[in-house]
């Protein structure tokens, strides 16, 4: 195993331990190399109380480009495009418009995620080329109710201090070479 991979795995383990308890919508993998294509698996741990989840909507963070959702049986997918909060460079071109939100909606009440079960919602996207942390605000609509997982820690604040933290991804320096 190369050193970069070991560092990523070690950081992933630390990130998972540090943020697993407070968040109810989390990312399966919480670290990734800068500039890479990342499979974002959002784990929805429960409904709104006992109410089933009927919709999950994810805002694409600034600097993240080319989001493509994975279809989910029993759910429709809506891809909202618009002006990116932060232009990105892809294959030598500046991109100013793209996917800004992905929303999955249960087709029927029988397709909703029961409040006492969990599920995953997946998309693929290209990460920024600079290291740092990106937050993925998530809106969870239930029948009835709503949970907005959108809180972002202020400098010096821990996600554990937040009531409804947005899932966070730590972007690590790339290992060198072209990431694609």
């Amino acid at each position: 195993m190369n050193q970069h991979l070991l560092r990523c795995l070690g950081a992933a383990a630390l990130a998972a331990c540090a943020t697993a308890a407070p968040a109810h919508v989390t990312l399966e993998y919480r670290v990734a190399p800068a500039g890479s294509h990342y499979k974002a698996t959002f784990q929805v741990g429960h409904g709104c109380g006992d109410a089933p989840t009927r919709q999950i909507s994810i805002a694409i963070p600034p600097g993240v480009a080319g989001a493509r959702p994975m279809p989910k049986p029993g759910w429709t997918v809506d891809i909202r495009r618009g002006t990116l909060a932060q232009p990105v460079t892809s294959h030598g071109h500046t991109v100013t418009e793209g996917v800004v939100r992905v929303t999955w909606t249960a087709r029927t009440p029988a397709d909703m995620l029961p409040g006492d079960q969990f599920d995953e919602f997946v998309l693929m996207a290209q990460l920024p080329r600079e290291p740092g942390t990106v937050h993925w605000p998530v809106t969870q609509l239930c029948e009835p109710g709503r949970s907005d997982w959108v809180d972002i820690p202020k400098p010096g604040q821990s996600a554990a201090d937040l009531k409804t933290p947005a899932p966070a991804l730590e972007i690590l320096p790339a290992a060198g070479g072209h990431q694609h």
Side-chain angles (χ1 to χ4, degrees):
M1 238 184 232
N2 72 34
Q3 291 298 88
H4 180 69
L5 182 56
L6 287 173
R7 282 194 310 269
C8 283
L9 291 174
L14 286 174
C17 292
T19 62
H24 302 287
V25 174
T26 59
L27 285 166
E28 180 178 18
Y29 301 106
R30 298 180 185 134
V31 296
S36 67
H37 280 89
Y38 171 67
K39 179 182 172 188
T41 302
F42 295 88
Q43 299 175 320
V44 178
H46 58 73
C48 307
D50 292 333
T53 299
R54 64 180 172 87
Q55 185 178 80
I56 294 292
S57 185
I58 299 168
I60 307 303
V64 174
R68 297 177 312 197
M70 179 183 285
K72 186 168 193 55
W75 296 69
T76 60
V77 178
D78 179 59
I79 301 168
R80 192 168 99 209
R81 299 177 192 283
T83 302
L84 299 176
Q86 178 181 333
V88 297
T89 301
S90 177
H91 301 286
H93 296 83
T94 300
V95 178
T96 59
E97 295 196 4
V99 176
V100 296
R101 180 172 294 279
V102 174
T103 303
W104 288 266
T105 304
R107 286 190 174 118
T108 69
D111 295 319
M112 289 186 223
L113 172 61
D116 63 348
Q117 296 178 21
F118 90 97
D119 204 346
E120 298 176 332
F121 296 80
V122 181
L123 62 83
M124 175 82 65
Q126 183 172 1
L127 299 178
R129 297 193 183 284
E130 296 298 319
T133 302
V134 294
H135 293 87
W136 305 73
V138 176
T139 300
Q140 178 182 13
L141 296 180
C142 295
E143 211 44 54
R146 173 184 182 132
S147 293
D148 293 321
W149 306 101
V150 298
D151 293 340
I152 297 171
K154 292 177 177 54
Q157 185 180 29
S158 167
D161 298 332
L162 302 174
K163 184 175 180 179
T164 56
L169 174 68
E170 183 177 350
I171 300 173
L172 302 176
H178 179 69
Q179 297 290 323
H180 190 74

